[in-house]
Each structure stands twice: as structure tokens, then as C-alpha cells.
Amino acid sequence: MQRIGVFVCWCGSNIAGTVDVEAVSEALKSEPGVVFSTNYQYMCSQAGQDIIKNAIAEHKLTGIVVCSCSPRMHEATFRKTAAAAGLNPYMVEIANIREQCSWIHKDMATGTEKAIILGKAAVAKVNLNAPLTPGESPVTKRALVIGGGIAGIQTALDIADAGFPVDIVETKPTIGGKMAQLDKTFPTLDCAACILTPKMVDVAQHENIRIFSYSEVVEVGGFVGNFDVKIKKKARYVKEDVCTGCGICTEKCPMKKAPNEFNMGMDNRPAVYIPFAQAVPKVATIDPNYCNMLKNGKCGLCAKVCTAGAIDYTQKDEIIEEKYGAIVAATGFNPISMDKFDEYAYNQSKDVITSLEFERLTNAAGPTAGKLLRPSDGEHPHTIVFVQCVGSRCAACAEKGKEYCSKICCMYTAKHAMLTRDKYPDTDVYVFYIDVRTPGKSFDEFYRRAVEEYGVHYIKGMVGKVSPEGNKLMVQASDLLANKQLHIEADLVVLAAAIEPDKSARPLATMLTASMDTNDFFTEAHPKLRPVESPTAGVFLSGTCQGPKDIPETVSQASAAAAKVIGLLAKDKLTGNPCVAHSDELMCNGCSSCERVCPYGAITYVDKEFRMPDRTTAIRRVASVNTAVCQGCGACTVACPSGAMDLNGFKNAQIMAEVDAICK
Amino acid sequence: MHKDNNAVRDEIIRRSGVNPRKCMRCGKCSATCPAYDEMEFHPHQFVYMVESGDIEPLMNSKSLYQCLTCFACVDRCPRGVEPAKLVEAVRLEVIRKQGANHLKADDIPALVTEELPQQAIVSAFRKYTK
């Protein structure tokens, strides 16, 4: 039998105003197991905590019930108090008589009645509580960052600067991501390469950072503090440690017809290539889909011209196994395909381009060396139409595009329009918008400058149809404010395509057992209060893999994720939550129901030997819970058909005792 | 907004299966409409006027019959609003209201005379009670 103490808090007048605290402590005195009951003005104060400590010692209490505010507020406080008095902290139960009682009732009689019932339920539970001890697990002091865009770069640099080793895994031959493809960045218009490439060099030179470029994560096992990860380093047919990045091979390669993905396919590159001049690592890569030597053994020119002897046609994919304490997802985004938007003639005319293609057309390192020229005939365009929200803000029933606002398009379109008018004042620039959304520091001022100083024609309305006629694009659009239909003869049409998470995010989330929303963005542990953590312990989120973001926001989130990782890696041991699932092996029938519902991958099945009657043994398949991974959600306890699964601290018997106490 | 208008609006919404509240006022329907120049009320106005219960002007406007029912607006609307279906529903409203110009069923008994054939009375009821 427990010896239970009950402590009713007044919370000033917060509770005592609507609940007769004296009556509550008096009523709970006669509950089974209760040997002491009192009330006090502020139980969480030092004096209040002393009352609890003294009572534990004086009355040899084995469990306590505090009738006070929400356990979210002060459960930790009272557990510490109990521990200080030598009581197991998990012998403390909180009856929430503030948020769920006094604050929602106006009538003293009703409030008091409910407070007594809540107190009785807590007493009934404590009667069945057992002391719990949290387990400990060691922490591997190394972090993995998946994705080498600006998000991954910033996260890696911050973790590495704190003294922990970091590995970056990037699927492309170079880090840099989407930001490396951009020309200028809003709202200050500094050149993207000028601010990004020094960071890429920092990454390359940092003693704590390793870059696995042209690589991908293929398997993730383990749990927070102890992840086992397999990384596939794809064969690039160039020895990374030997190649000097001189670029001779790329000049001599006779096969120059591979579409250049860095320039959005608007020009071609050789089969052996370095994506761009500032690539990190600056190492050539041979594209096996275009290399004649790899396809039919007829060439080998690059190997002949390479003075360093770095070319190796026999290279194979390599699997690297490494242990990590924390994993950061930074997989980024891509513009959506324009295939479902026939009305804009993207597939019919080369002069209908997406905004990312426009970035390359205006970038000094792009296919036109920074001159804004039409992709079809290389002429300077005089009338340019920008279309916003192409595929963003679409209803699900429209079955094309995305439901969300892509967030960055308003600002980059203002930037494109402004820069075009600045460089080519003889150009007419139209921007068709539904709403101009520019929340952010100096953002609206930037958009207004495009209109007021640069004379960009912003028109409220949408483009309905683009039809190529001769070398022109006939744009039919509506001007809602003038209530007119417009027909513009344009030379270039730029579509602000919606952005979507990279396709690698979904399989990665499955490997990490991290949750995702219906749009394949990673879900955060709490949308406001834990925005950079995945609900899966030890997995963190950085950049656009969590939702659409511009560069300033991405960098903030990347650093925030790094701070969380550092906080984790700084610990030598992780104290677990003892309120985890626990399987009664004798009752487990090995059905795997719990394994299937576990959102954290905490349950595995093991073959175990059991003693049977008459000195025999039998091997049975039973569930085993990894207590370091289990988050105590209780899904398995509901799924278990044989009642073998139970949650420590919240056992079925305890919950039922609470319900019984309430219904009595 | 007038109550009667609400009733007409609700009926048109029910009949068409369109929810005009989904409209985000982007104007793509009007941008895409091939009959735009012929219309007094353009597709985006049409949706807005139905939503606000302003049906009477639509029923009296020639715009109602300028719509070619080509469904370009339905195909391209990013919100799945289907403006052409609203046009169709308002047309139907006009057709159904046409009976209102004729005799009221309740008035018929007063007009019945000895000479009137029985069959004419029955068909009058059939016609005017619909």
C-alpha cells in the first residue's frame, strides 16, 4: 500500500478563486492510500516545496499528488522536489485543477466538485505507480548533414565551428545547391556567388568537415546519439584526391552534347565536367550516360591529357559506413515541372522560361555570359512578361500545382523585373500578380522601388494564355483593376514556377522515420516552438526541406538546427524518458502489429528462448522495444491484440484506475 | 444583401455544384476567355456576382449567352472554381423563371368556364405547376 501525500495549490486566486481548496484537500484525505493532505498559496514557491519535502520525510510518503497547474508548467519542478527529498520522481502525479478546472469554471461549487474528482483520479493512479529509472545511452560526437546547399553549408559550418566533426552528403558533384545558380539576391542585390563561394571554401578547408559529394544516403539505422548510416559514394571515374581541377579534360573531351544541368539545360557541357568554376570539391566528374569510353570503350582522351593521372574508368560505387550522433536533413527544393500548364506554352517555345532559367540567363557565368538574350534566336528581348503564382496556390481539386504559397516568387520576380529595367531601360517589363506578398525586412520597400523608380508595370490579374506567333509570344491576360482583357506582344515570358521539396526527401524521411506532410515537406516537432527539430529524436531540419523559405530565413534556420545539434553532441550521455513502451514477452504473440504502427521505428522482433514445462525450451518471436528510440506515444499499446504492450508510467491499469475514480 | 437574392444564389450554387468562395480573384478565367470582348460581365465578375447574390443583372445581361461553354476557364482555374458551370446554372434559372410570366396555377380555377375542355384544364395544371 502506498503512503500518499496530497498538496493542493491555491495559485494565488487563480485556483482558489473558483475552487474551494480547503474542501479539496479535506475531501482527498479520505481517499485510499492518502495519509496526508494540505493546501498552500503557492506550492511551486520555495516555501511550498519545503512543505512537500518535509511531509515526505515526516509522513514517510511513497507517492505524492500535487493539485495545481498543468503538468506542462510544473511537473518537472515537483519531480525535482520529490527527488531532493529522496522520493523517486516518477511517484509524483499532477492533477491539473487550473487550466482544466478553475480557469474554465465560473461557479465555485462546480469547480470544487471537478477539482476533487481530478484529485481522486490522480490518487488512484499514484496507488499503482512504480518507481522508474531513465536509461542512459552514449552519444557519437559526429553529425551528418544531408544536402550541401546553403542550408547544409551553414549548418555544417556552425557545428564544425563548435568543435564537432561533420560530414556533408551531397548528391551533385559539388556543394552550393540552388544558391550557386542564382545571379543576385534580394533585397540587397549582392551577387549570390560572391557571398556563397567563400562559405563553400570555408567548408572545404574546415578541419572538422568532410564532404561526400556525388553521394547519397542509402541506409539509416540506430537512434538518437547512435545512428548507423550507409553512404553510397557514386563512381565519378576520377580520383578525387588526385584530380587538381585544372579542367584540361573538360576542354579536350570530344563529347560535348550533354545537357548542362547547372544552366538548367540551356546549353551543353562535356561528358567529363566540373559544374562551375567555383565548384567544391573542384574535381571533374565523368557522366557515364554520355562518356564514349564508358559506353563503348572508344575514346579515353581525358585519361591521355590528364597530367595528374586522375582518370579511372574502372572506379566502382563505394559504400561508406559511419556512426553519427545527430542527422540534419537539408535536402532543399526544385521548381515544379511546367508540363501540366500547357496554356503558358512552356514546351512549345524556348522563349517561355522559368525564373530559375532566367537567373542563369542573367548570370555572368551563365550560357549567355550575363547578357539577357532570347534562348530561341539570341536577340535582345524588348517586352518581357513575368507571370507569378504558376502552380502555387492551386486548389487540390485543380489537380495541378501546389496548394501552398511558394513564398519566394514575389521577391525574386521584383528583383528580375528591377534588374532588367536597370540594365536594359529600353525594355518593357510587365508583372502579372494575384497578390504581391512581401513581408520581411526591407522587402516591401524593394518591391515599391521596382514600381516607382524602375517603372515595372505591375498588373493585378493573371495570364490566361500564351501563344507563339512567328518570333513573338502573344500573351492574353486580364487586368482586373481596369476590367480589361490585355493582349501583349512579348519577346520573353518568365514563369514563377512553384517550388516543391526535392524528390530525395520522401525516401530519406522513410529511412529516418521522420514524418512529412502531404506536400513532402518534413514536419517539425512543433510548428512554433520546435521548428528545427523533427519529431524523431536526433533528426533536425534545415532550410526548404521543411517549407518554402528565402535565403535569410534558410540561413537562420540552418544555424538554429546547428545549435540544436551542438546541444545534443555536447552531452556525453543521453538520459532517456523512462515512460516508454514495454512488452510482456510471455504475452506477446509475435504478430508485428506494434512494429507496424510505431512511428519511430523503435520496435523490432527478436527470436528468444523461453523455458517451457518439463525442462524444455522453445524459441519464440517476441517484440523488443528500443527504449532510446521510443517516445512513449502509446500507439503500440493500442495496436497490441494480446495486451502485452504497456507504457511505463501510463500502464493500462493506471489509466483504467483514473477512469474508474472519475466515474465513481 | 437581400434575402431573396440569397435564396436564388444558394439555388444556383446547389445546381451548379460550384463553390464561388474558392475564388482567389486571380482573374485567370477572364484572361483565358475567348468571348471576353463580347461580354458586359466577364467570367471573374460572374463568379463574384454570384457569390455576393447579385444575380438579377446577370440574368438580364446578354453576357449570359456570349459564353461559348468552351470550358477554358474551368480547365485553367487554379482554384477549381468552374465559372462556366455557374453561367450554365444562371441560364437555367432564366429558363425556369420564364414560366413566371405565364398564368399562375392558383389563378386557373377562377378562369374555368363551362365551355373549357377538361383536357385544357389538366394540361394547364401540368404546365404551370412545374
Side-chain angles (χ1 to χ4, degrees):
Chain A
M1 193 71 193
Q2 306 277 17
R3 294 177 58 82
I4 299 167
V6 176
F7 304 87
V8 184
C9 180
W10 303 10
C11 196
S13 63
N14 273 307
I15 293 172
T18 12
V19 168
D20 183 348
V21 286
E22 191 60 51
V24 175
S25 59
E26 198 53 42
L28 294 179
K29 233 173 218 169
S30 52
E31 280 303 292
V34 176
V35 293
F36 176 77
S37 182
T38 186
N39 59 74
Y40 183 67
Q41 205 162 11
Y42 291 106
M43 210 50 99
C44 59
S45 68
Q46 194 56 54
Q49 292 189 49
D50 286 341
I51 293 176
I52 298 177
K53 283 184 204 164
N54 293 338
I56 291 173
E58 199 177 320
H59 299 278
K60 300 189 175 59
L61 300 181
T62 60
I64 64 171
V65 168
V66 186
C67 302
S68 62
C69 50
S70 160
R72 277 186 180 264
M73 189 81 190
H74 277 311
E75 187 175 59
T77 313
F78 293 121
R79 279 187 175 163
K80 268 189 206 148
T81 311
L87 192 66
N88 184 291
Y90 294 91
M91 296 305 291
V92 176
E93 286 301 327
I94 308 288
N96 180 357
I97 61 164
R98 193 177 75 171
E99 285 84 344
Q100 292 174 355
C101 184
S102 69
W103 278 359
I104 51 166
H105 288 295
K106 290 198 169 62
D107 175 45
M108 177 77 94
T110 335
T112 308
E113 190 190 351
K114 182 166 175 186
I116 292 171
I117 292 172
L118 291 172
K120 281 181 179 173
V123 170
K125 189 179 173 205
V126 174
N127 266 311
L128 298 172
N129 274 21
L132 298 174
T133 317
E136 280 184 342
S137 57
V139 180
T140 307
K141 294 186 181 288
R142 178 183 289 277
L144 172 66
V145 175
I146 303 167
I150 181 61
I153 288 174
Q154 186 64 45
T155 304
L157 281 174
D158 286 351
I159 299 170
D161 280 344
F164 297 105
V166 186
D167 292 344
I168 298 180
V169 173
E170 168 60 55
T171 51
K172 303 259 162 53
T174 172
I175 60 168
K178 289 288 174 302
M179 189 176 169
Q181 292 178 277
L182 306 184
D183 181 32
K184 302 253 175 10
T185 52
F186 59 77
T188 45
L189 295 180
D190 22 16
C191 128
C194 312
I195 54 176
L196 176 69
T197 49
K199 272 191 187 287
M200 290 163 63
V201 173
D202 287 351
V203 169
Q205 293 177 346
H206 208 295
E207 54 179 15
N208 283 337
I209 301 181
R210 281 193 300 180
I211 303 171
F212 295 116
S213 62
Y214 210 48
S215 305
E216 56 196 44
V217 172
V218 289
E219 201 180 309
V220 179
F223 50 91
V224 55
N226 298 279
F227 291 108
D228 299 303
V229 179
K230 281 188 187 157
I231 299 162
K232 182 166 90 180
K233 238 172 123 39
K234 288 181 277 184
R236 68 200 304 163
Y237 308 104
V238 174
K239 289 176 205 149
E240 226 174 288
D241 44 350
V242 179
C243 176
T244 59
C246 69
I248 288 272
C249 54
T250 66
E251 283 166 29
K252 300 289 180 195
C253 176
M255 175 60 220
K256 290 197 159 55
K257 290 271 169 61
N260 185 351
E261 40 298 80
F262 188 70
N263 283 337
M264 305 302 291
M266 286 191 291
D267 64 353
N268 292 331
R269 59 158 172 80
V272 55
Y273 66 107
I274 298 174
F276 55 102
Q278 299 88 354
V280 168
K282 196 160 182 200
V283 173
T285 305
I286 298 178
D287 185 339
N289 296 323
Y290 288 92
C291 174
N292 282 328
M293 187 65 187
L294 291 171
K295 275 164 73 181
N296 47 36
K298 288 179 190 152
C299 184
L301 197 59
C302 51
K304 287 197 192 91
V305 297
C306 179
T307 48
I311 308 287
D312 175 8
Y313 298 116
T314 62
Q315 215 174 54
K316 293 268 176 307
D317 291 355
E318 192 187 336
I319 299 285
I320 294 161
E321 287 183 46
E322 187 61 85
K323 279 185 167 298
Y324 297 98
I327 298 178
V328 182
T331 44
F333 74 95
N334 281 305
I336 64 166
S337 150
M338 290 287 99
D339 287 351
K340 283 189 179 169
F341 297 88
D342 291 337
E343 62 267 35
Y344 298 124
Y346 179 80
N347 291 328
Q348 293 172 45
S349 170
K350 278 185 164 182
D351 296 331
V352 180
I353 58 174
T354 65
S355 298
L356 196 53
E357 289 164 1
F358 187 85
E359 290 282 350
R360 296 311 301 155
L361 276 189
T362 52
N363 190 304
T368 56
K371 286 199 197 74
L372 181 55
L373 302 174
R374 288 168 27 120
S376 63
D377 54 10
E379 292 293 316
H380 167 55
H382 291 279
T383 304
I384 305 179
V385 170
F386 287 90
V387 189
Q388 300 249 258
C389 295
V390 178
S392 297
R393 308 171 65 189
C394 291
C397 61
E399 288 175 353
K400 50 184 176 184
K402 304 287 175 183
E403 279 190 90
Y404 50 84
C405 165
S406 295
K407 201 173 187 179
I408 54 175
C409 328
C410 284
M411 283 302 286
Y412 69 59
T413 299
K415 174 189 78 176
H416 291 161
M418 185 192 282
L419 289 173
T420 305
R421 289 281 298 157
D422 186 44
K423 270 200 207 166
Y424 310 99
D426 62 331
T427 320
D428 256 336
V429 176
Y430 297 89
V431 176
F432 284 91
Y433 69 92
I434 305 172
D435 301 286
V436 178
R437 293 177 168 174
T438 51
K441 193 173 171 185
S442 309
F443 281 15
D444 204 63
E445 297 93 314
F446 183 86
Y447 148 61
R448 289 313 306 166
R449 238 167 68 216
V451 178
E452 292 168 28
E453 286 177 34
Y454 291 86
V456 176
H457 308 300
Y458 265 80
I459 298 171
K460 160 82 185 162
M462 200 56 180
V463 170
K465 190 160 78 171
V466 176
S467 24
E469 272 174 37
N471 61 350
K472 293 279 182 188
L473 296 163
M474 301 306 296
V475 176
Q476 183 179 307
S478 65
D479 180 338
L480 291 180
L481 297 181
N483 199 13
K484 273 193 204 153
Q485 194 177 58
L486 302 180
H487 299 270
I488 299 170
E489 227 176 69
D491 300 311
L492 189 68
V493 171
V494 185
L495 308 176
I499 60 173
E500 64 182 355
D502 191 78
K503 293 273 179 275
S504 65
R506 172 63 65 177
L508 179 66
T510 311
M511 280 189 260
L512 294 170
T513 61
S515 53
M516 283 196 137
D517 64 18
T518 50
N519 295 310
D520 278 6
F521 285 115
F522 281 94
T523 316
E524 55 283 351
H526 188 285
K528 289 130 201 162
L529 303 178
R530 293 175 68 194
V532 299
E533 294 156 81
S534 158
T536 303
V539 176
F540 302 88
L541 312 174
S542 177
T544 47
C545 68
Q546 180 258 343
K549 274 181 204 68
D550 57 21
I551 297 168
E553 265 187 281
T554 296
V555 172
S556 317
Q557 206 208 11
S559 288
K564 288 286 166 192
V565 170
I566 295 163
L568 171 63
L569 297 188
K571 289 178 184 147
D572 290 323
K573 278 196 160 59
L574 292 177
T575 307
N577 168 18
C579 299
V580 291
H582 163 84
S583 169
D584 184 340
E585 288 171 345
L586 293 175
M587 285 166 79
C588 176
N589 64 12
C591 72
S592 290
S593 298
C594 53
E595 190 182 13
R596 281 194 291 273
V597 298
C598 178
Y600 307 99
I603 300 174
T604 46
Y605 272 80
V606 287
D607 287 324
K608 217 171 163 181
E609 202 171 277
F610 287 89
R611 283 175 63 184
M612 302 300 280
D614 303 327
R615 294 176 184 266
T616 58
T617 58
I619 303 229
R620 280 179 42 225
R621 185 171 175 274
V622 291
S624 159
V625 179
N626 185 334
T627 52
V629 182
C630 176
Q631 302 288 310
C633 73
C636 53
T637 62
V638 185
C640 180
S642 53
M645 269 294 174
D646 223 345
L647 201 58
N648 287 342
F650 296 90
K651 288 189 180 298
N652 290 333
Q654 289 174 298
I655 305 290
M656 289 318 291
E658 283 186 285
V659 176
D660 286 345
I662 290 168
C663 299
K664 209 156 49 185
Chain B
M1 208 181 289
H2 201 263
K3 243 191 178 162
D4 293 349
N5 286 351
N6 273 344
V8 179
R9 176 194 61 187
D10 294 347
E11 174 55 25
I12 285 169
I13 288 173
R14 188 199 61 77
R15 192 182 294 155
S16 61
V18 169
N19 180 4
R21 283 188 193 153
K22 290 202 295 193
C23 174
M24 64 169 166
R25 323 235 188 279
C26 72
K28 199 170 178 181
C29 46
S30 288
T32 203
C33 181
Y36 185 95
D37 292 335
E38 319 296 323
M39 290 177 171
E40 179 191 0
F41 299 116
H42 304 118
H44 73 279
Q45 289 173 290
F46 212 100
V47 175
Y48 185 66
M49 287 167 82
V50 170
E51 189 191 340
S52 47
D54 207 4
I55 316 278
E56 201 65 33
L58 291 177
M59 290 173 64
N60 297 329
S61 169
K62 284 215 165 94
S63 302
L64 199 54
Y65 305 101
Q66 305 298 349
C67 168
L68 304 166
T69 323
C70 73
F71 276 55
C73 53
V74 174
D75 183 51
R76 291 174 192 169
C77 174
R79 305 294 310 164
V81 174
E82 307 178 310
K85 289 194 182 172
L86 280 181
V87 174
E88 199 61 40
V90 175
R91 282 177 183 162
L92 207 56
E93 184 67 20
V94 173
I95 292 167
R96 292 194 180 177
K97 280 277 155 62
Q98 277 166 356
N101 306 332
H102 295 172
L103 282 176
K104 298 264 186 312
D106 292 342
D107 297 340
I108 291 173
L111 300 170
V112 173
T113 58
E114 292 282 319
E115 291 84 49
L116 198 67
Q118 192 71 16
Q119 198 176 357
I121 302 172
V122 173
S123 57
F125 271 109
R126 272 196 190 142
K127 186 169 181 185
Y128 298 131
T129 51
K130 285 273 153 55

